[in-house]
Amino acid sequence: MTPKQRIRAAIDHQEPDKLPIDFGSSGITGIHCSVVEKLRDHYKLEKRPVKICEPYQMLGEVEGDLLDAMRIDAQAIFSHGTIFGFPNENWKPWTAPWGQELLVAERFNTTTDNAGNIYIYPEGDTDAPASGRMPKTSYFFDSIERIDPDFDEDELKLEDNLEEFGPMSQEEEAHWTEQAEKWRGCERAITAPLSGTCLGDIALVPAPFLKKPKGVRGVADWYMLSADEPEFLASIFDRQVEIALENMAKVAKIAGDVIDVVVVCGTDFGTQTSLFCGVPQMRDIWLPRYKQINEWIHQNTNWRTFKHSCGAIEPLVETFIDCGFDILNPVQCSADGMAPEGLKAKYGDRITFWGGGVNTQQTLPFGTPEEVRKEVLSRCEIFAPGGGFVFNSIHNVQARTPVENVIAMIDAVHEFNGDK
Amino acid sequence: MNESLNQLTTAIKAGKRKDARAATAAALEAGLPPQSVLDALTEGMNDVGVRFKANTIFVPEVLVAARAMQKSMDLLEPVLIASGIEPEFSIVIGTVEGDLHDIGKNLVMMMLKGANFKVIDLGVNVSAEAFANAVAEHKPDLVALSALLTTTMPAMESIVCDLSRIEPPIKIIVGGAPITPDFADQIGADGYSADAASAVELAQKLCANAQ
Ligand code: B12
């Protein structure tokens, strides 16, 4: 089997010849740039600065030579614009606060305050108020909430929260065309993000890509909407889906044959111990809209759809299946009610688990390589039978994760595959 | 119990900020003792905490309840101060250096306020030095640290270590998604809890023991 066939078989619940692996095919299955560099060193690859493919979480691009070395089955197409609203193009050097020499996009423009905190700007425009901040001792950015002084919670305007959604630009179309040409015929499965199908992702609410966001842009304010004004939320999503379907049709036309998996939505519905939203509300507001997206995709393309949600979301898995999602990520087994055996037994034949391979809150950062190996082998034994599993850690491999543990993880999957 | 006090408790439970404000105004206008208004408010928040812990309501419902509480407090606080009713205990809270997650920290803070603690919120990305300065300035009964990232757990450890050198000794509680009771023990914190309602019980217990 080619890596592409392997992943497609797994998603379609046929047991592939080997358990497929993903690292780096999306902004939620990636590796922090500091760890990418150490992996490149470990595999004795050409010494060159790591490229930042996702500047918010500072994920490093897992380039072809590293994909080969780690025997990874998935390949990313990234979106044209980054979360800070500038395109990932025209690379320039940048030194991270932890001393690493990196390559970043031309408009990755930063300033540093007296305390050593780093600021980044929407569209790279340093004349606009900063939209992201990396604390001196941190390893990634987070959004700065820029609340519109005229914002009035009693006078919500739909269009204020729709500013970021619109028809695909010519640059984006050109990007898809270029990416389709580049990856057509690739042996690996291609994962691509869709735009505008993320319904209420809290990381996108503060709109770090906009210079002057209006409407509901605070994290707490947004969550309160779902308690206070569910109809308003539903109307935002309706309009979003309408626009997204048109854009999707364009992507399908340009790159439909190239793409295997589309990342539909990264909205987190779970906390460590509970949910952000109960099942009835999920079924009321999210389900019909997700269904519309998934049905369109399944009717018009051969893509498989990918839903990300962190946390203790076991009560929602049945609903995600009803929404028509093919794939669930990151399968946070460390959260309440998310034990792997139960998930596999209850839902394993109806949805594919893409993730869940190792605990990134305990074992991977703090365990020994042998503990990592044992956990990985156990997860593979539970999740792999009958297909429906693509190996990935639970969410991105974080900064400060010992590289020996990452290698122990990869080696354990190869060991499981009989490839050591 | 007076009608407006009932209404206040109900409004807080349901997260109705305008009703909460109106009921507070009515209660104060009717000349009810401010302590009784505060008790009605605490009763509402207490119920919210219990249902949150039991997973029957979720973060959004707690946030709207806390906002309703705040609307009530805006009216009540000056009256409480004027009648010399002050929170018995105070607590300094913040998310540790390098970490910007604050939803959980804010919920803990709101529940503590609802239980009539004085809360000094240092926000996110708070250094050991900033915690120490706040302790010197406010002389709180407790310090509470939140961390959501494995990359900031070491910062939590070093902050606890720095604060443990302060004289007179100050009690420290910790929490956040990746924190476990073992980790809390290991770094020398005085307490850990897994959710906001339990954080209030923990804080009350530690403060009462100290007396
Ligand atoms: C919402 C969220 C975000 C939001 C945060 C918004 C905000 N303003 O806070 C956004 C999108 C911005 C975000 C960003 C990131 N996040 Co985040 N995020 C989450 C998520 C989904 C939920 C956290 C949350 O708010 N829960 C709701 C609250 C109510 O719960 P809580 O925080 O746990 O708090 C409760 C208890 O812990 C306790 N408590 C909390 N603090 C305290 C303090 C004391 C003293 C006490 C007693 C109790 C207590 O009481 C609270 C109420 O009951 C978690 C998933 C998870 N499993 O938790 C990931 C998670 C924490 N994030 C994670 C990561 C890695 C990130 C990023 C680095 C990006 C990334 N994914 O790579 C950035 C970094 C941002 C930064 N610089 O800090 C990882 C951490 C993994 C790890 N190994 O450390 C998690 C676990 C996701 C995952 N599955 O991997 N995130």
Side-chain angles (χ1 to χ4, degrees):
Chain A
M1 279 183 159
T2 62
K4 194 190 220 25
Q5 290 166 337
R6 196 169 288 144
I7 285 197
R8 294 208 71 117
I11 302 171
D12 294 342
H13 297 277
Q14 293 145 12
E15 199 168 301
D17 62 338
K18 290 177 200 303
L19 172 58
I21 313 175
D22 171 30
F23 276 98
S25 86
S26 76
I28 51 241
T29 61
I31 306 179
H32 190 265
C33 57
S34 57
V35 181
V36 172
E37 178 166 297
K38 292 188 189 130
L39 283 169
R40 294 190 61 86
D41 288 347
H42 168 81
Y43 291 107
K44 305 198 166 51
L45 303 176
E46 185 195 330
K47 278 233 178 270
R48 56 177 187 238
V50 172
K51 272 185 183 169
I52 295 301
C53 57
E54 202 291 282
Y56 183 73
Q57 305 166 92
M58 294 300 280
L59 300 180
E61 187 173 326
V62 183
E63 293 183 64
D65 53 354
L66 186 53
L67 292 176
D68 285 339
M70 291 166 59
R71 285 175 274 173
I72 305 282
D73 298 279
Q75 165 68 50
I77 291 183
F78 281 98
S79 56
H80 175 66
T82 62
I83 190 164
F84 295 113
F86 53 76
N88 245 348
E89 60 190 20
N90 305 332
W91 302 90
K92 67 177 184 189
W94 189 77
T95 309
W98 54 91
Q100 187 180 3
E101 302 288 337
L102 294 160
L103 282 180
V104 298
E106 182 180 26
R107 278 150 75 189
F108 183 110
N109 292 329
T110 57
T111 57
T112 307
D113 68 13
N114 292 337
N117 301 308
I118 296 172
Y119 297 85
I120 193 162
Y121 298 83
E123 296 179 32
D125 180 357
T126 48
D127 290 333
S131 61
R133 173 173 67 147
M134 181 189 291
K136 186 178 74 180
T137 59
S138 188
Y139 297 87
F140 17 65
F141 287 95
D142 195 31
S143 299
I144 296 173
E145 288 184 14
R146 293 154 299 155
I147 307 296
D148 179 359
D150 297 330
F151 173 67
D152 178 354
E153 62 186 346
D154 292 321
E155 298 274 336
L156 299 177
K157 292 194 214 82
L158 204 55
E159 62 275 17
D160 286 350
N161 277 95
L162 288 170
E163 189 182 339
E164 56 266 54
F165 306 107
M168 186 184 286
S169 68
Q170 278 182 348
E171 293 81 39
E172 277 173 280
E173 241 180 280
H175 172 77
W176 280 110
T177 309
E178 183 209 306
Q179 291 294 310
E181 272 163 30
K182 182 166 175 191
W183 298 114
R184 188 165 282 120
C186 174
E187 289 238 309
R188 293 193 171 92
I190 301 290
T191 302
L194 289 177
S195 86
T197 51
C198 245
L199 304 183
D201 186 339
I202 202 65
L204 305 179
V205 165
F209 34 83
L210 294 179
K211 290 191 186 174
K212 208 169 172 283
K214 299 192 289 286
V216 187
R217 298 299 178 179
V219 168
D221 291 330
W222 181 266
Y223 282 123
M224 287 194 278
L225 265 191
S226 62
D228 267 355
E229 309 277 351
E231 299 82 23
F232 182 79
L233 202 61
S235 310
I236 296 178
F237 294 165
D238 275 338
R239 184 71 191 115
Q240 245 186 279
V241 172
E242 210 176 298
I243 298 166
L245 290 184
E246 279 170 32
N247 289 336
M248 244 149 52
K250 285 193 186 145
V251 176
K253 213 167 136 199
I254 304 170
D257 59 318
V258 179
I259 297 170
D260 297 288
V261 172
V262 282
V263 178
V264 173
C265 179
T267 304
D268 286 322
F269 287 97
T271 74
Q272 194 71 20
T273 52
S274 182
L275 298 170
F276 276 109
C277 151
V279 177
Q281 185 169 55
M282 171 84 198
R283 295 194 77 87
D284 199 34
I285 299 189
W286 275 271
L287 178 134
R289 280 105 197 157
Y290 280 149
K291 219 170 165 173
Q292 227 182 319
I293 297 169
N294 286 317
E295 276 173 2
W296 188 93
I297 292 172
H298 291 139
Q299 278 160 17
N300 293 282
T301 73
N302 195 23
W303 305 339
R304 298 294 179 266
T305 60
F306 179 113
K307 170 75 188 106
H308 166 94
S309 171
C310 290
I313 52 157
E314 192 278 330
L316 295 178
V317 179
E318 197 65 54
T319 303
F320 288 139
I321 294 172
D322 290 343
C323 292
F325 286 114
D326 302 304
I327 299 161
L328 186 63
N329 163 273
V331 201
Q332 198 189 330
C333 302
S334 56
D336 284 11
M338 296 287 288
E341 298 85 352
L343 290 178
K344 181 73 177 175
K346 217 162 152 190
Y347 312 105
D349 53 345
R350 292 178 293 151
I351 199 158
T352 290
F353 300 116
W354 188 307
V358 69
N359 183 347
T360 44
Q361 286 177 302
Q362 273 297 329
T363 325
L364 195 64
F366 303 129
T368 62
E370 183 51 24
E371 282 162 353
V372 171
R373 174 179 165 268
K374 285 215 175 95
E375 186 169 306
V376 168
L377 288 174
S378 142
R379 295 291 162 87
C380 293
E381 268 146 33
I382 295 165
F383 281 128
F389 182 42
V390 175
F391 188 91
N392 182 238
S393 55
I394 297 168
H395 214 307
N396 301 322
V397 174
Q398 298 296 321
R400 296 176 85 140
T401 304
V403 71
E404 308 78 61
N405 286 4
V406 182
I407 292 155
M409 167 183 73
I410 294 289
D411 286 350
V413 187
H414 295 318
E415 180 183 341
F416 176 80
N417 278 337
D419 278 350
K420 214 177 172 183
Chain B
M1 200 179 173
N2 182 286
E3 187 56 23
S4 50
L5 294 183
N6 270 333
Q7 279 165 358
L8 175 58
T9 306
T10 311
I12 288 183
K13 285 186 192 173
K16 300 276 182 225
R17 62 186 191 282
K18 288 174 192 163
D19 295 357
R21 197 183 160 90
T24 310
L28 293 175
E29 254 161 51
L32 295 176
Q35 182 66 47
S36 69
V37 184
L38 183 63
D39 290 344
L41 184 150
T42 305
E43 187 189 328
M45 279 311 277
N46 209 353
D47 174 76
V48 169
V50 170
R51 285 183 294 145
F52 180 58
K53 189 175 172 178
N55 290 342
T56 54
I57 57 167
F58 306 105
V59 171
E61 289 79 16
V62 182
L63 289 172
V64 289
R67 185 178 53 180
M69 169 187 84
Q70 195 53 52
K71 294 289 172 196
S72 167
M73 269 296 189
D74 289 347
L75 300 179
L76 182 59
E77 214 158 21
V79 184
L80 287 171
I81 293 171
S83 36
I85 303 176
E86 269 182 44
E88 201 175 349
F89 302 116
S90 67
I91 185 161
V92 160
I93 191 168
T95 300
V96 303
E97 193 165 18
D99 208 323
L100 300 167
H101 288 82
D102 64 357
I103 302 168
K105 186 255 314 164
N106 290 346
L107 291 194
V108 171
M109 175 175 95
M110 291 159 190
M111 299 303 298
L112 284 166
K113 276 192 184 166
N116 199 27
F117 275 79
K118 179 179 173 201
V119 186
I120 299 110
D121 177 24
L122 304 183
V124 296
N125 187 29
V126 183
S127 65
E129 198 189 340
F131 275 111
N133 289 343
V135 170
E137 186 186 340
H138 300 282
K139 312 225 170 338
D141 300 281
L142 272 182
V143 178
L145 313 180
S146 182
L148 267 283
L149 296 166
T150 48
T151 49
T152 55
M153 288 164 70
M156 179 178 263
E157 180 168 7
S158 72
I159 293 170
V160 172
C161 178
D162 283 7
L163 292 182
S164 67
R165 291 200 206 102
I166 292 180
E167 283 297 336
I170 176 94
K171 290 234 177 335
I172 306 164
I173 62 173
V174 296
I179 309 302
T180 59
D182 284 350
F183 179 77
D185 253 8
Q186 185 193 315
I187 65 173
D190 300 287
Y192 157 86
S193 87
D195 67 274
S198 317
V200 172
E201 289 161 25
L202 174 69
Q204 282 166 335
K205 197 180 85 197
L206 287 172
C207 290
N209 285 352
Q211 281 195 324

